[in-house]
Amino acid sequence: MQFRILILVIFCFALPLWSEERPVYSAAMAKKDITGPSVGVMFWGYAREDQTGVGIHTRQFARSLVIRDQSSKKLLAYVTAEVGGIPFEIQREVVKRLQLELDPGFNYGNVLINASHTHSGPAGHFHYSEVSFYSKDFYSESYTVLRDGIFESIKEAYLKLKPAELSVGKAMVSEGGVNRSLSAYLANPESERKLYSDTIDREMLQLTVSVSGVPIGFVNWYGVHPTNITFDNRHISSDNKGIASLLAESEAKKQGLNDFVAIFAQANEGDVSPNLNLNNTGPGKDMYDSSFIIGKRQFAASQQILKSEGKRLSGGLSFTQRFIDMSKHPVTSEFSGTGKTETTCPSAYGYSFAAGSTEEGGGHWLFHEGMTNQNRRFYIDWIAKFMLQSPSNELRECQNPKAVLFPMGETKPIPSLPQILPYGLALVGDLTILVLPHEVTTMSSRRLKQEVRSVLKDKTTDVVLSGLTNDFSGYITTPEEYSTQNYEGGHTLHGPQSLNALRQEFHKMSLELQNGSQTPSPTVMPLDLSDRIHPLKVPSSDSVSVHKPQNIIQPSSEYYKKGEVVSCRVAAANPNVGYPKVLSYLWVEVLDKATWKPIRSDADYDTKFTYQKRGIWGRAEESIDLIWETSVDTKPGEYRLVHEGIYLGSDGVKSSYRIECPNFRIGEGGI
């Protein structure tokens, strides 16, 4: 009898445990430093050879989320790297290494590497560099830092996987962007435009990850260009997206969540500018202030979602993926809009590509937005012919009304841009992620999402678009927007049928997910250009220091009010001599009792360092200005600025050094 009672008691206590819902997912997050060389390398984004680095505003990071479906054991890795664009070669090498070292379940369909699209990061990591407007150089060392940082962030997250809850929430981003190509947007049918309340998508969707009820991080999607920091800038910066991440992670640390990871992913930013004045400025007093403001507005929306009760996801993971040769992809009459089968075109830049976006500062003075075939100039075509080659008549006809400037897809022996591109769909519960290597305009994104919804129906509730993912291949505009040949249309590389081709293919991929059919084996693959690159050494990485690193100009005062800017100049080695071994070139330290403790570094948005070299030959002076912009929240106390680096002596030996600037005090007062 006692035994039966004991069994009954155990059963009663165990029943609530058995009735609890088992976790559907395991998940974890991680981040790694991927900062490029800070001096002398052309930045990627504005295509200006005169925009080369002189220092760091904020460091670059790769942030990763890894999810495992507890039932099927399927995996998904989502990464946002703070670079302008991600070449497919990075994905290929990362996937291969993940399969060999971690788990054969990783593949091209479930490793999604998104670029934040900052325009203030060093170039030099694209294999297609022989004929490139973004950079003709390839630096193997910084490429390795980027590739390995992405891999290590995924690896760390994978090794930390724990049962987790995933939830989705939404919020509006207040004044986070503006449509910079309104005339093109208004070319879309009025009946379609009336379906939407705004000319951009202001809603942020966020996937929050919690372990044992405690949030460990999130990834959100909101489309806006990280171009607050303009082509006048020469400091590495993650711009507004990166600042939003730093703000979120700093806020989490205040709650004791030291390993919190905040991913502000890039979405459909094709025609969305953060420069609200539409003249390459705003809304702040300068480019750095504007970047902070737009970043803080994204941060505020993410916090609103984080603090609210989201919709918990269930249903596991599924995904599909394919490579498409966009140089000649057939588009059936069901999707072409012309009543017959059409094709996409080999990639080509248009006249209006060279014009740049007027609202983001514009491009070459010979060009302006809106230039079509009717605006072709014989002297421009003649110059372009000798710079590269003339386009074929077939290409001109296929790309019409674009006035073709450079026929990148027709160059021999291989095209000068990738033609075979990766696309995919991933489902996390009923959240659907569209994966594209493009910058997608607002209405183009809406049409793609609607295409997916029309197939998946009740299988999906929320749909997001992950642009600039797993490769980079210009813009996607609607055919109507393409016809205006604003900058975005001139940079839609594969012609007016590009969006329709993708609607067709995402329709097919949606059917695969709906029916649970297997992803077809790839019939084409991107070219492997590993044997065509010509790696260069990072500039000045072997620069011999003539003068011993030391303090030159100390802070101008021993006492500062909150909100004032503190600076110190030191004689220093070129930062590239220590690349990538130096963790931070700038530290802000506070005196805590008898111990100096670092509180800021060159990864923070309120610091900056600038390298300069004056004079020539043996009399050249190398120096670094260390800058800290204090705030009203800075605690009173005793501080100092510190520079760390590595210098190369005349004896050929590299040595670490550290320079501590004189102490100063921050008082109670503020400005």
Side-chain angles (χ1 to χ4, degrees), residues 18-92:
W18 293 339
S19 64
E20 283 185 11
E21 184 180 352
R22 291 184 61 191
V24 178
Y25 310 101
S26 292
M29 303 187 73
K31 78 173 187 177
K32 295 293 179 182
D33 195 315
I34 54 169
T35 308
S38 58
V39 174
V41 175
M42 178 181 170
F43 282 2
W44 192 99
Y46 293 112
R48 294 186 58 139
E49 293 186 14
D50 61 335
Q51 191 191 18
T52 56
V54 297
I56 293 178
H57 171 230
T58 60
R59 298 185 77 86
Q60 300 165 278
F61 291 95
R63 294 176 171 87
S64 294
L65 163 65
V66 175
I67 305 170
R68 174 185 277 146
D69 181 336
Q70 294 277 59
S71 177
S72 68
K73 304 306 178 185
K74 289 181 180 178
L75 294 162
L76 180 70
Y78 192 91
V79 186
T80 291
E82 292 174 337
V83 293
I86 287 289
F88 171 70
E89 287 77 12
I90 292 281
Q91 193 206 24
R92 174 164 47 205

Side-chain angles (χ1 to χ4, degrees), residues 314-488:
S314 60
L317 299 175
S318 56
F319 44 83
T320 185
Q321 189 269 347
R322 63 188 58 198
F323 295 101
I324 300 172
D325 186 347
M326 287 292 285
S327 70
K328 53 182 179 182
H329 195 66
V331 186
T332 65
S333 58
E334 180 185 356
F335 293 94
S336 68
T338 65
K340 60 181 181 179
T341 297
E342 305 282 1
T343 63
T344 55
C345 321
S347 58
Y349 290 123
Y351 274 37
S352 53
F353 160 79
S357 171
T358 304
E359 296 78 9
E360 306 281 23
H364 197 283
W365 58 271
L366 273 177
F367 304 90
H368 61 80
E369 290 190 271
M371 296 181 83
T372 66
N373 266 325
Q374 297 179 344
N375 306 110
R376 281 176 53 199
R377 301 288 185 265
F378 76 90
Y379 53 87
I380 292 178
D381 288 348
W382 183 82
I383 294 171
K385 174 183 177 181
F386 282 94
M387 288 181 67
L388 187 63
Q389 67 181 54
S390 294
S392 66
N393 290 332
E394 291 78 11
L395 182 62
R396 289 193 192 280
E397 183 177 349
C398 185
Q399 293 270 356
N400 189 55
K402 179 191 288 180
V404 174
L405 182 63
F406 295 116
M408 309 300 283
E410 288 189 332
T411 58
K412 304 296 181 184
I414 64 169
S416 296
L417 287 175
Q419 307 297 298
I420 299 170
L421 299 167
Y423 300 91
L425 271 178
L427 265 68
V428 184
D430 57 7
L431 169 64
T432 303
I433 305 171
L434 283 70
V435 183
L436 305 90
H438 305 288
E439 303 186 54
V440 184
T441 63
T442 300
M443 193 62 84
S444 296
S445 173
R446 289 167 175 170
R447 292 185 190 179
L448 285 169
K449 291 176 183 178
Q450 185 56 39
E451 197 66 56
V452 170
R453 286 193 185 98
S454 71
V455 178
L456 294 179
K457 297 184 171 64
D458 58 357
K459 192 167 185 174
T460 187
T461 303
D462 299 298
V463 183
V464 294
L465 185 146
S466 179
L468 295 130
T469 303
N470 294 339
D471 207 344
F472 174 74
S473 188
Y475 281 68
I476 295 294
T477 49
T478 68
E480 296 87 349
E481 292 166 350
Y482 185 89
S483 70
T484 69
Q485 280 300 291
N486 275 8
Y487 168 75
E488 295 81 8

Side-chain angles (χ1 to χ4, degrees), residues 166-170 204-208 221 305 308-313 428 430-431 461-462 464:
L166 306 181
S167 61
V168 166
K170 302 174 186 176
M204 171 185 286
L205 186 144
Q206 184 162 293
L207 175 63
T208 300
W221 291 269
I305 300 169
S308 62
E309 185 177 352
K311 180 191 69 176
R312 186 167 176 176
L313 294 181
V428 184
D430 57 7
L431 169 64
T461 303
D462 299 298
V464 294

Side-chain angles (χ1 to χ4, degrees), residues 265-277:
Q266 194 51 270
N268 53 322
E269 60 22 286
D271 51 2
V272 185
S273 173
N275 292 311
L276 306 185
N277 298 329

Side-chain angles (χ1 to χ4, degrees), residues 527-633:
L527 298 177
D528 186 346
L529 302 186
S530 301
D531 60 346
R532 295 184 64 90
I533 56 174
H534 306 287
L536 300 174
K537 294 197 69 170
V538 169
S540 303
S541 57
D542 290 332
S543 175
V544 176
S545 293
V546 177
H547 303 289
K548 182 180 178 181
Q550 58 184 319
N551 177 254
I552 301 177
I553 300 177
Q554 60 188 29
S556 58
S557 173
E558 295 180 0
Y559 178 86
Y560 291 87
K561 297 178 181 178
K562 295 180 180 182
E564 290 188 319
V565 177
V566 184
S567 65
C568 176
R569 179 174 295 172
V570 297
N574 189 302
N576 288 355
V577 175
Y579 179 79
K581 294 182 179 180
V582 177
L583 296 179
S584 176
Y585 298 97
L586 185 162
W587 298 97
V588 178
E589 296 181 341
V590 64
L591 186 61
D592 183 5
K593 297 179 181 177
T595 304
W596 286 99
K597 294 183 178 180
I599 59 162
R600 314 295 282 174
S601 73
D602 59 15
D604 291 294
Y605 54 81
D606 54 6
T607 66
K608 194 186 287 104
F609 81 80
T610 304
Y611 167 82
Q612 298 181 70
K613 187 173 183 178
R614 304 176 183 84
I616 58 174
W617 306 114
R619 302 186 65 180
E621 176 189 278
E622 295 179 284
S623 65
I624 286 180
D625 288 329
L626 311 174
I627 300 169
W628 178 33
E629 198 169 322
T630 68
S631 72
V632 293
D633 296 324

Side-chain angles (χ1 to χ4, degrees), residues 169-213:
K170 302 174 186 176
M172 303 300 287
V173 180
S174 175
E175 296 299 317
V178 61
N179 194 308
R180 72 181 189 190
S181 194
L182 193 58
S183 60
Y185 180 88
L186 293 175
N188 293 307
E190 183 180 6
S191 58
E192 182 180 34
R193 289 187 277 114
K194 283 184 175 180
L195 297 174
Y196 304 98
S197 60
D198 211 328
T199 58
I200 67 170
D201 293 333
R202 299 190 185 276
E203 186 178 76
M204 171 185 286
L205 186 144
Q206 184 162 293
L207 175 63
T208 300
V209 185
S210 300
V211 173
S212 300

